[in-house]
Amino acid sequence: GNWCPQNYNRSYRGTVTLLNAFTRSINTVPVRLSIKTGRKPIADMAHKMGIMNDFPITRSLALGVASVSVIDMTSSYAVFPNKGYRTKANGISRITNLRGEVVYDARELPPSERVLSEKTAKYMTQMMRNVVVAGTGRRANVEGVPAAGKTGTTTSYRDAWFGGFTGNYVATVWMRSEEH
């Protein structure tokens, strides 16, 4: 049709591995992969992993074009360090009363359901680690703190985000440029 995915630097790299495409955010690869797998399974998995918004199933779905809240993105990324289990993200992790007694502790809630196999979660974590070590997320690489994650931008570069995790925390950072 009249739409063609483009890479950040508007170049075409030819045949690349899935790891290389993921590490360097080569957009043509996930779009081609979505043609082979179908887009509905991608949307279904996004919902299973914690994305609550409904979104249209379009050609650009594999690039993450759906409108997603920061807390939903964080919740979905938590599936990987949780070895495939979905865990509800919490803006508040612990509440105590005036006597210091814990009345709510999100860290003590059991994991929900398994949405990925442990093996798949491990492979995704390895790919996301590579993004931080050798790819678009290198600025998240802090010596002595192994991290894994993924970067993303909108077509106009108005929005930029990084979703990732260390051994203890899962977080998403979203920035919007008001210049556009």
Side-chain angles (χ1 to χ4, degrees):
N2 60 356
W3 179 79
C4 180
Q6 293 184 347
N7 297 317
Y8 175 78
N9 61 4
R10 308 229 191 276
S11 66
Y12 181 70
R13 298 185 188 203
T15 302
V16 296
T17 65
L18 188 55
L19 177 62
N20 191 6
F22 192 82
T23 300
R24 300 181 190 285
S25 289
I26 300 173
N27 290 332
T28 52
V29 174
V31 172
R32 290 186 71 167
L33 190 59
S34 75
I35 292 168
K36 292 184 184 222
T37 63
R39 294 179 184 105
K40 177 97 169 78
I42 295 168
D44 292 344
M45 181 57 71
H47 289 300
K48 283 181 186 175
M49 290 177 67
I51 305 298
M52 304 305 277
N53 295 19
D54 286 328
F55 47 83
I57 299 174
T58 64
R59 296 174 291 188
S60 56
L61 176 65
L63 300 179
V65 298
S67 180
V68 175
S69 72
V70 173
I71 200 150
D72 281 0
M73 186 67 80
T74 306
S75 179
S76 65
Y77 271 67
V79 169
F80 304 118
N82 285 333
K83 300 179 180 173
Y85 285 95
R86 177 180 171 183
T87 304
K88 186 178 184 314
N90 294 284
I92 297 172
S93 60
R94 185 178 171 156
I95 300 172
T96 59
N97 63 21
L98 292 174
R99 292 183 295 280
E101 300 164 338
V102 176
V103 295
Y104 173 80
D105 192 338
R107 295 169 295 181
E108 294 176 2
L109 298 175
S112 311
E113 63 181 301
R114 179 175 287 284
V115 295
L116 291 177
S117 71
E118 187 172 349
K119 185 176 180 180
T120 299
K122 182 179 176 182
Y123 286 146
M124 287 302 301
T125 297
Q126 290 171 349
M127 288 175 52
M128 294 168 86
R129 176 72 181 138
N130 205 56
V131 169
V132 172
V133 171
T136 57
R138 285 189 301 269
R139 292 189 181 224
N141 196 19
V142 176
E143 190 172 331
V145 183
K150 184 71 183 88
T151 61
T153 60
T154 57
T155 302
S156 63
Y157 309 110
R158 185 185 69 204
D159 297 288
W161 60 268
F162 175 82
F165 48 91
T166 65
N168 299 316
Y169 299 101
V170 180
T172 301
V173 177
W174 169 64
M175 294 177 20
R176 172 167 272 185
S177 170
E178 296 300 325
E179 294 179 20
H180 288 83

Short mmCIF file of all heavy atoms in Angstrom, two decimals, residues 76-102:
data_model
loop_
_atom_site.label_atom_id
_atom_site.label_comp_id
_atom_site.label_asym_id
_atom_site.label_seq_id
_atom_site.Cartn_x
_atom_site.Cartn_y
_atom_site.Cartn_z
N SER A 76 3.90 -4.92 31.65
CA SER A 76 4.19 -5.91 30.60
C SER A 76 5.67 -6.29 30.58
O SER A 76 6.01 -7.45 30.35
CB SER A 76 3.72 -5.41 29.23
OG SER A 76 4.43 -4.27 28.84
N TYR A 77 6.55 -5.33 30.86
CA TYR A 77 7.97 -5.64 30.89
C TYR A 77 8.33 -6.52 32.09
O TYR A 77 9.32 -7.26 32.04
CB TYR A 77 8.80 -4.36 30.92
CG TYR A 77 9.13 -3.85 29.55
CD1 TYR A 77 8.14 -3.38 28.70
CD2 TYR A 77 10.43 -3.85 29.08
CE1 TYR A 77 8.43 -2.92 27.43
CE2 TYR A 77 10.74 -3.40 27.81
CZ TYR A 77 9.73 -2.93 26.99
OH TYR A 77 10.03 -2.50 25.74
N ALA A 78 7.56 -6.46 33.16
CA ALA A 78 7.83 -7.27 34.35
C ALA A 78 7.69 -8.76 34.07
O ALA A 78 8.24 -9.58 34.81
CB ALA A 78 6.89 -6.86 35.48
N VAL A 79 7.00 -9.13 33.02
CA VAL A 79 6.84 -10.54 32.67
C VAL A 79 8.21 -11.21 32.45
O VAL A 79 8.41 -12.36 32.82
CB VAL A 79 5.96 -10.70 31.41
CG1 VAL A 79 6.00 -12.12 30.86
CG2 VAL A 79 4.53 -10.29 31.72
N PHE A 80 9.15 -10.49 31.89
CA PHE A 80 10.45 -11.09 31.56
C PHE A 80 11.27 -11.44 32.81
O PHE A 80 11.67 -12.59 32.96
CB PHE A 80 11.22 -10.19 30.59
CG PHE A 80 10.43 -9.90 29.34
CD1 PHE A 80 10.07 -8.62 29.02
CD2 PHE A 80 10.02 -10.93 28.50
CE1 PHE A 80 9.33 -8.34 27.87
CE2 PHE A 80 9.27 -10.67 27.36
CZ PHE A 80 8.93 -9.38 27.05
N PRO A 81 11.54 -10.52 33.72
CA PRO A 81 12.30 -10.91 34.92
C PRO A 81 11.51 -11.83 35.85
O PRO A 81 12.10 -12.52 36.67
CB PRO A 81 12.64 -9.59 35.60
CG PRO A 81 11.62 -8.63 35.12
CD PRO A 81 11.29 -9.08 33.71
N ASN A 82 10.17 -11.87 35.70
CA ASN A 82 9.33 -12.77 36.50
C ASN A 82 9.21 -14.14 35.87
O ASN A 82 8.31 -14.91 36.21
CB ASN A 82 7.94 -12.17 36.70
CG ASN A 82 7.93 -11.06 37.71
OD1 ASN A 82 8.77 -11.02 38.61
ND2 ASN A 82 7.01 -10.13 37.57
N LYS A 83 10.11 -14.44 34.95
CA LYS A 83 10.21 -15.77 34.32
C LYS A 83 8.92 -16.19 33.62
O LYS A 83 8.55 -17.35 33.61
CB LYS A 83 10.63 -16.82 35.34
CG LYS A 83 12.00 -16.51 35.94
CD LYS A 83 12.41 -17.53 36.95
CE LYS A 83 13.77 -17.13 37.50
NZ LYS A 83 14.20 -17.96 38.58
N GLY A 84 8.23 -15.21 33.02
CA GLY A 84 7.05 -15.51 32.24
C GLY A 84 5.73 -15.29 32.94
O GLY A 84 4.67 -15.44 32.33
N TYR A 85 5.77 -14.90 34.22
CA TYR A 85 4.54 -14.65 34.97
C TYR A 85 4.17 -13.17 34.89
O TYR A 85 5.03 -12.31 35.08
CB TYR A 85 4.68 -15.05 36.44
CG TYR A 85 4.63 -16.53 36.66
CD1 TYR A 85 5.81 -17.28 36.72
CD2 TYR A 85 3.41 -17.18 36.79
CE1 TYR A 85 5.76 -18.65 36.92
CE2 TYR A 85 3.36 -18.55 36.99
CZ TYR A 85 4.53 -19.27 37.05
OH TYR A 85 4.49 -20.63 37.25
N ARG A 86 2.90 -12.92 34.66
CA ARG A 86 2.40 -11.54 34.67
C ARG A 86 2.19 -11.11 36.12
O ARG A 86 1.64 -11.85 36.93
CB ARG A 86 1.08 -11.48 33.91
CG ARG A 86 0.47 -10.10 33.93
CD ARG A 86 -0.83 -10.09 33.19
NE ARG A 86 -1.49 -8.81 33.42
CZ ARG A 86 -2.67 -8.51 32.95
NH1 ARG A 86 -3.33 -9.40 32.24
NH2 ARG A 86 -3.20 -7.35 33.18
N THR A 87 2.61 -9.90 36.41
CA THR A 87 2.42 -9.32 37.73
C THR A 87 1.83 -7.94 37.53
O THR A 87 2.29 -7.17 36.70
CB THR A 87 3.76 -9.20 38.48
OG1 THR A 87 4.35 -10.49 38.54
CG2 THR A 87 3.57 -8.67 39.87
N LYS A 88 0.83 -7.62 38.30
CA LYS A 88 0.19 -6.31 38.19
C LYS A 88 1.15 -5.23 38.68
O LYS A 88 1.72 -5.33 39.76
CB LYS A 88 -1.08 -6.30 39.04
CG LYS A 88 -1.90 -5.04 38.90
CD LYS A 88 -3.16 -5.17 39.74
CE LYS A 88 -4.11 -4.03 39.60
NZ LYS A 88 -3.61 -2.72 39.65
N ALA A 89 1.32 -4.20 37.87
CA ALA A 89 2.17 -3.07 38.26
C ALA A 89 1.44 -2.25 39.31
O ALA A 89 0.21 -2.15 39.31
CB ALA A 89 2.49 -2.21 37.05
N ASN A 90 2.20 -1.67 40.20
CA ASN A 90 1.63 -0.87 41.27
C ASN A 90 2.33 0.47 41.35
O ASN A 90 3.55 0.53 41.41
CB ASN A 90 1.79 -1.59 42.62
CG ASN A 90 0.99 -2.85 42.68
OD1 ASN A 90 -0.22 -2.81 42.84
ND2 ASN A 90 1.65 -3.98 42.49
N GLY A 91 1.55 1.53 41.39
CA GLY A 91 2.12 2.85 41.63
C GLY A 91 2.52 3.00 43.09
O GLY A 91 3.39 3.76 43.44
N ILE A 92 1.88 2.24 43.95
CA ILE A 92 2.18 2.22 45.38
C ILE A 92 2.58 0.80 45.73
O ILE A 92 1.83 -0.14 45.46
CB ILE A 92 0.96 2.65 46.23
CG1 ILE A 92 0.59 4.10 45.88
CG2 ILE A 92 1.24 2.48 47.71
CD1 ILE A 92 -0.70 4.56 46.51
N SER A 93 3.72 0.63 46.31
CA SER A 93 4.17 -0.73 46.61
C SER A 93 3.92 -1.14 48.06
O SER A 93 3.82 -2.32 48.36
CB SER A 93 5.66 -0.89 46.29
OG SER A 93 6.42 0.02 47.04
N ARG A 94 3.80 -0.14 48.97
CA ARG A 94 3.62 -0.50 50.37
C ARG A 94 2.90 0.61 51.11
O ARG A 94 3.20 1.79 50.92
CB ARG A 94 4.98 -0.75 51.00
CG ARG A 94 4.94 -1.24 52.41
CD ARG A 94 6.33 -1.49 52.91
NE ARG A 94 6.27 -1.74 54.32
CZ ARG A 94 7.16 -2.42 54.98
NH1 ARG A 94 8.19 -2.91 54.36
NH2 ARG A 94 7.05 -2.60 56.26
N ILE A 95 1.96 0.24 51.99
CA ILE A 95 1.24 1.21 52.81
C ILE A 95 1.31 0.74 54.26
O ILE A 95 1.08 -0.43 54.55
CB ILE A 95 -0.24 1.31 52.38
CG1 ILE A 95 -0.35 1.76 50.92
CG2 ILE A 95 -1.00 2.28 53.31
CD1 ILE A 95 -1.77 1.70 50.37
N THR A 96 1.64 1.67 55.15
CA THR A 96 1.65 1.37 56.58
C THR A 96 0.70 2.34 57.29
O THR A 96 0.44 3.43 56.79
CB THR A 96 3.06 1.50 57.19
OG1 THR A 96 3.51 2.83 56.99
CG2 THR A 96 4.03 0.52 56.57
N ASN A 97 0.21 1.91 58.43
CA ASN A 97 -0.63 2.81 59.22
C ASN A 97 0.27 3.66 60.13
O ASN A 97 1.51 3.54 60.08
CB ASN A 97 -1.71 2.04 59.99
CG ASN A 97 -1.13 1.07 61.01
OD1 ASN A 97 0.02 1.21 61.45
ND2 ASN A 97 -1.93 0.09 61.40
N LEU A 98 -0.33 4.49 60.98
CA LEU A 98 0.44 5.39 61.85
C LEU A 98 1.32 4.65 62.85
O LEU A 98 2.30 5.19 63.36
CB LEU A 98 -0.50 6.35 62.59
CG LEU A 98 -1.21 7.38 61.69
CD1 LEU A 98 -2.21 8.17 62.50
CD2 LEU A 98 -0.19 8.29 61.03
N ARG A 99 0.99 3.40 63.15
CA ARG A 99 1.80 2.59 64.08
C ARG A 99 2.92 1.84 63.36
O ARG A 99 3.64 1.07 63.97
CB ARG A 99 0.88 1.61 64.82
CG ARG A 99 -0.09 2.30 65.79
CD ARG A 99 -0.95 1.32 66.56
NE ARG A 99 -1.86 0.55 65.73
CZ ARG A 99 -3.05 0.98 65.26
NH1 ARG A 99 -3.44 2.21 65.54
NH2 ARG A 99 -3.81 0.21 64.54
N GLY A 100 3.04 2.05 62.04
CA GLY A 100 4.08 1.38 61.27
C GLY A 100 3.72 -0.02 60.83
O GLY A 100 4.55 -0.73 60.27
N GLU A 101 2.48 -0.44 61.05
CA GLU A 101 2.04 -1.77 60.65
C GLU A 101 1.71 -1.77 59.15
O GLU A 101 1.05 -0.85 58.65
CB GLU A 101 0.80 -2.19 61.45
CG GLU A 101 1.05 -2.24 62.94
CD GLU A 101 -0.24 -2.26 63.75
OE1 GLU A 101 -1.30 -1.84 63.24
OE2 GLU A 101 -0.17 -2.72 64.91
N VAL A 102 2.18 -2.78 58.48
CA VAL A 102 1.94 -2.88 57.04
C VAL A 102 0.49 -3.29 56.81
O VAL A 102 0.03 -4.31 57.32
CB VAL A 102 2.89 -3.91 56.39
CG1 VAL A 102 2.57 -4.09 54.92
CG2 VAL A 102 4.34 -3.49 56.58
#
